[in-house]
């Protein structure tokens, strides 16, 4: 395995006009973990503390405005701005190209990173994400969601998201209850400024479908069997459009595979990493 050389990994990196908190675990070549909306590095806690840490040095930044990284005043969080943040993390912590793992919005950021600085990317893991832009209905839905957060607050958003993001579990299932509580506490912890800026950036993000054929690094697509936001058929079509990409469907998971089925996620990604030259 080729070792990506490391620079010292600080807890905080200077990004463009802001500071970015970076959680870190593991050893070996660097892997960048990009979180979804409206989450933060905590969605990767099972991954950071799981078997992938024996294969890779895992870096999970809080994108600007999320988790412990402050909101920096932008009314719109573009995917390109988040990718510029990721570049700042990589220029500070790595001396060569890295594995990039992005979930949903983190996948959109991974696409923006590939468009901006492909030389920093050694492989891609695209989790519960898609290349297509929002259509008119989805764009209107983003504006409605932003208005609802302003009117009704974050707790209502968190409840609605748990129903949409997570695969169904039996009533009274303790692990499912804990999962919903973890998700709710993360959503409710993000500022209203960040949630609204994210929604505008998601609404306006570019379509990356035409770029898929130009991805020349090894790529794994992972999708939850019950993912209602980026369903299996779309994930398989996306993998088919990326030269040589594989697609793994994870049973018993919805849109948050690394939190819902952490062992299966680590196994799929670990096997993919083990195949890297
Ligand atoms: C996410 O999980 O990051 C969001 O579902 C992305 C989206 O809504 O497009």
């Amino acid at each position: 395995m080729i070792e990506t050389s490391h620079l010292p990994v600080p807890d905080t990196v200077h990004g463009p006009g802001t500071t970015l908190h970076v959680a870190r675990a593991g050893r070996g070549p660097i892997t960048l973990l990009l979180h979804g909306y409206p989450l933060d590095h905590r969605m990767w806690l099972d991954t950071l503390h799981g078997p992938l840490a024996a294969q890779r040095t895992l870096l999970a930044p809080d994108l600007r405005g999320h988790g412990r990284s402050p909101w920096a005043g932008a009314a719109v969080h573009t995917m390109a701005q988040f990718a510029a943040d990721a570049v700042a993390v990589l220029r500070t912590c790595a001396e060569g190209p890295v594995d990039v793992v992005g979930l949903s919005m983190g996948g959109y950021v991974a696409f923006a990173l590939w468009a901006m600085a492909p030389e920093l990317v050694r492989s891609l893991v695209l989790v519960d994400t898609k290349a297509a832009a929002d259509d008119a209905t989805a764009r209107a839905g983003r504006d409605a969601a932003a208005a609802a957060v302003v009117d009704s607050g974050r707790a209502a958003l968190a409840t609605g998201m748990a129903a949409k993001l997570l695969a169904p579990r039996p009533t009274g299932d303790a692990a499912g209850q804990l999962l919903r509580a973890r998700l709710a506490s993360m959503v409710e912890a993000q500022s209203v400024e960040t949630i609204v800026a994210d929604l505008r950036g998601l609404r306006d993000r570019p379509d990356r479908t035409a770029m898929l054929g130009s991805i020349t690094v090894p790529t794994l697509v992972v999708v939850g069997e019950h993912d209602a936001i980026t369903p299996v058929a779309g994930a398989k079509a996306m993998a088919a459009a990326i030269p040589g990409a594989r697609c793994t469907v994870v049973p018993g998971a919805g849109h948050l595979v690394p939190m819902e089925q952490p062992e299966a996620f680590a196994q799929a990604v670990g096997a993919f990493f083990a195949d890297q030259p």
Side-chain angles (χ1 to χ4, degrees):
M1 179 185 291
I2 296 168
E3 288 283 324
T4 307
S5 55
H6 295 188
L7 298 167
V9 178
D11 289 346
T12 302
V13 164
H14 293 288
T18 191
T19 53
L20 301 161
H21 168 77
V22 182
R24 175 213 162 129
R27 59 190 166 78
I30 289 185
T31 293
L32 185 69
L33 304 173
L34 297 167
H35 63 74
Y37 153 86
L39 307 176
D40 58 42
H41 77 274
R42 286 174 291 172
M43 67 143 285
W44 298 115
L45 284 179
D46 299 301
T47 305
L48 291 166
H49 295 290
L52 288 180
Q55 280 177 284
R56 293 291 194 269
T57 300
L58 304 167
L59 302 185
D62 285 335
L63 296 169
R64 62 180 52 219
H66 301 77
R68 292 167 62 189
S69 298
W71 180 64
V76 183
H77 284 160
T78 65
M79 300 306 114
Q81 179 65 76
F82 286 144
D85 291 345
V87 168
V89 171
L90 295 181
R91 297 237 187 267
T92 306
C93 304
E95 289 183 308
V98 306
D99 307 297
V100 176
V101 181
L103 180 133
S104 199
M105 184 178 80
Y108 311 154
V109 178
F111 286 135
L113 179 62
W114 176 257
M116 182 181 287
E119 72 281 2
L120 299 181
V121 181
R122 155 179 126 110
S123 75
L124 277 172
V125 181
L126 301 167
V127 190
D128 298 309
T129 193
K130 62 185 170 196
D134 279 10
D135 62 15
T137 308
R139 287 170 58 83
R142 302 290 188 191
D143 290 336
V149 169
V150 172
D151 288 348
S152 314
R154 291 166 290 180
L157 175 72
T159 307
M161 288 197 72
K164 264 197 310 190
L165 264 50
L166 303 175
R169 292 195 179 226
T171 314
D173 172 67
Q177 285 170 345
L178 178 59
L179 197 54
R180 278 196 296 280
R182 289 174 67 194
L183 179 60
S185 70
M186 229 186 311
V187 174
E188 289 175 37
Q190 313 308 325
S191 71
V192 169
E193 292 91 333
T194 286
I195 293 170
V196 170
D198 282 0
L199 284 164
R200 291 174 177 153
L202 291 166
R203 176 195 65 193
D204 297 343
R205 74 186 191 282
D207 194 298
R208 299 293 189 185
T209 310
M211 198 184 74
L212 297 177
S214 75
I215 295 176
T216 50
V217 290
T219 299
L220 174 68
V221 173
V222 178
V223 63
E225 172 190 21
H226 302 292
D227 189 336
I229 297 179
T230 53
V232 169
K236 286 185 172 169
M238 181 169 73
I242 300 173
R246 286 189 249 155
C247 181
T248 299
V249 180
V250 177
H255 188 62
L256 289 179
V257 170
M259 290 183 72
E260 296 181 81
Q261 296 295 341
E263 291 89 3
F265 178 72
Q267 194 175 19
V269 178
F272 172 70
F273 284 164
D275 279 354
Q276 303 304 316

